[in-house]
């Protein structure tokens, strides 16, 4: 590991000024991803700015409804929060489906937003990876692709985004608040993560000197009936092959509100806008759910190793929406 300087600050302005002062500085929260990447020689900051002492570890109710979640709220605390479990169960379920209890106790909300892909070629420094070394090529294109993305990919990168929490946040129309020496700005979660295109090393809309300070969830009464379903190779501590975050409201047999996002199949948390468009106002039937899933997945780019994800994603979307619609009928 490359030697680095370490500072711990207790003031947000001091933290952003510390990172702005040096181009090789990185913020450190729970460290569950950054420290691993430093050990692997993929990340090599000159300075690590520990932000765990900042006052960003509370979940507060917003005046107009919704929640403001501090960037340093631990994943385990957020999943257990009674307001999240009651009003946004999809978020609690997504967090609990990810990693181990020990990691959830350390990992922060802000850090979860910034975790990098678990693509084996990204971690293997003997392999070509445009995300790790721009212009090097992508060995994944003709390699082992079982875990790789089928939506939003490019010829430069087919790595899948690893987060469970972010998939739920995408479905909930979350907004990310960030701070720098230039002030505060708000970034819709849907725009926060970027598709690879020709620059897969640029993964988010966050500037290098910006600190995530909070995530806001808008008021959404229908989100109280929501669900996260994760399909993986083993029952615990495995990244998703396919995951679905969904919220559904049915009135008189028709879809009145729907939010749908996918994980494990895309280069970013994938908001299923086309499926939502087709579902809204239509019948809440399994046939309609399947047609909407087909429309969303029509743009998939597959390779022999991951072509199965199209059918798996269709089945997972359909089953999740069917279960939610059945809950509506029996409520």
């Amino acid at each position: 590991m490359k030697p680095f300087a370490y500072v711990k600050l207790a003031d947000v302005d001091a933290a952003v000024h510390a990172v702005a002062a040096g181009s090789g500085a990185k913020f450190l929260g729970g460290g569950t991803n950054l420290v691993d990447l430093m050990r692997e020689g993929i990340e090599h900051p000159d300075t690590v700015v520990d932000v765990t002492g900042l006052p960003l570890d509370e979940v507060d109710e917003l005046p107009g409804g919704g929640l403001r979640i501090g960037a340093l709220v631990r994943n385990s605390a957020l999943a257990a929060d009674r307001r999240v479990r009651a009003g946004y169960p999809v978020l609690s379920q997504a967090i609990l489906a990810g990693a181990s209890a020990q990691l959830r106790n350390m990992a922060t909300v802000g850090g979860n937003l910034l975790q990098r892909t678990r693509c084996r070629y990204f971690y293997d420094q003997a392999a070509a990876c445009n995300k790790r070394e721009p212009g090097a090529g992508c060995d994944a294109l003709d390699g082992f692709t079982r875990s790789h993305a089928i939506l939003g990919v490019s010829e430069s990168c087919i790595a899948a985004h690893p987060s469970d929490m972010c998939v739920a946040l995408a479905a909930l129309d979350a907004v990310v608040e960030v701070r720098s020496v230039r002030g505060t700005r708000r970034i819709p979660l849907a725009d926060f993560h970027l598709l690879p295109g020709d620059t897969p090393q640029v993964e988010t809309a966050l500037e290098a000197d910006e600190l995530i300070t909070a995530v806001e969830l808008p008021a959404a009464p229908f989100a109280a009936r929501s669900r996260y379903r994760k399909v993986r190779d083993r029952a615990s501590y495995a990244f998703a092959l396919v995951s679905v975050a969904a919220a559904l409201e049915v009135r008189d047999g028709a879809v009145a509100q729907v939010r749908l996002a996918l994980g494990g199949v895309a280069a970013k948390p994938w908001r299923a806008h086309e499926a939502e468009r087709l579902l809204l106002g239509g019948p809440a039937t399994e046939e309609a759910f399947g047609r909407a899933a087909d429309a969303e997945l029509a743009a998939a780019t597959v390779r022999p190793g991951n072509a199965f994800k199209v059918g798996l994603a269709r089945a997972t979307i359909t089953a999740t929406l069917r279960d939610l619609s059945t809950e509506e009928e029996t409520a």
Side-chain angles (χ1 to χ4, degrees), residues 239-305:
F239 296 101
L241 292 170
V242 170
S243 66
V244 172
L248 183 70
E249 180 181 358
V250 177
R251 298 177 194 161
D252 299 323
V255 176
Q257 294 277 4
V258 61
R259 299 290 187 275
L260 191 64
L262 310 178
V265 295
K268 60 181 283 186
W270 188 266
R271 181 66 179 268
H273 289 295
E274 179 62 14
E276 290 178 356
R277 183 186 69 81
L278 291 175
L279 288 168
L280 193 61
T285 63
E286 188 161 350
E287 182 181 7
F289 301 152
R291 285 197 302 268
D294 288 338
E296 190 64 46
L297 296 165
T301 299
V302 302
R303 284 169 167 76

Side-chain angles (χ1 to χ4, degrees), residues 105-313:
N105 287 340
M106 287 297 297
T108 63
V109 169
N112 196 307
L113 289 171
L114 294 176
Q115 66 175 307
R116 305 192 70 184
T117 183
R118 266 55 178 192
C119 171
R120 64 176 60 193
Y121 301 99
F122 173 69
Y123 275 88
D124 180 1
Q125 298 212 44
C129 174
N130 289 316
K131 190 179 284 291
R132 189 183 64 247
E133 184 182 347
C138 176
D139 279 350
L141 293 175
D142 297 313
F144 185 78
T145 57
R146 175 176 170 77
S147 64
H148 285 75
I150 59 174
L151 295 170
V153 300
S154 73
E155 286 303 303
S156 295
C157 183
I158 59 171
H161 191 272
S163 176
D164 293 291
M165 183 194 81
C166 291
V167 180
L169 292 178
L172 294 171
D173 294 312
V175 175
V176 183
E177 180 189 271
V178 303
R179 179 92 66 88
S180 71
V181 294
R182 298 176 300 281
T184 299
R185 68 181 180 124
R186 293 162 57 81
I187 309 169
L189 194 283
D191 300 327
F192 184 81
H193 298 97
L194 305 178
L195 294 177
D198 296 326
T199 56
Q201 75 278 9
V202 182
E203 298 174 349
T204 74
L206 196 71
E207 299 292 339
D209 63 345
E210 287 182 316
L211 171 68
I212 299 172
T213 51
V215 173
E216 292 188 355
L217 299 180
F222 65 91
R225 184 163 282 110
S226 58
R227 178 170 295 190
Y228 187 74
R229 180 179 256 113
K230 181 177 182 178
V231 182
R232 47 191 164 177
D233 283 326
R234 60 180 186 269
S236 64
Y237 199 23
F239 296 101
L241 292 170
V242 170
S243 66
V244 172
L248 183 70
E249 180 181 358
V250 177
R251 298 177 194 161
D252 299 323
V255 176
Q257 294 277 4
V258 61
R259 299 290 187 275
L260 191 64
L262 310 178
V265 295
K268 60 181 283 186
W270 188 266
R271 181 66 179 268
H273 289 295
E274 179 62 14
E276 290 178 356
R277 183 186 69 81
L278 291 175
L279 288 168
L280 193 61
T285 63
E286 188 161 350
E287 182 181 7
F289 301 152
R291 285 197 302 268
D294 288 338
E296 190 64 46
L297 296 165
T301 299
V302 302
R303 284 169 167 76
N306 64 7
F308 74 96
K309 285 194 174 187
V310 175
L312 183 60

Side-chain angles (χ1 to χ4, degrees), residues 69 71 299:
I69 303 162

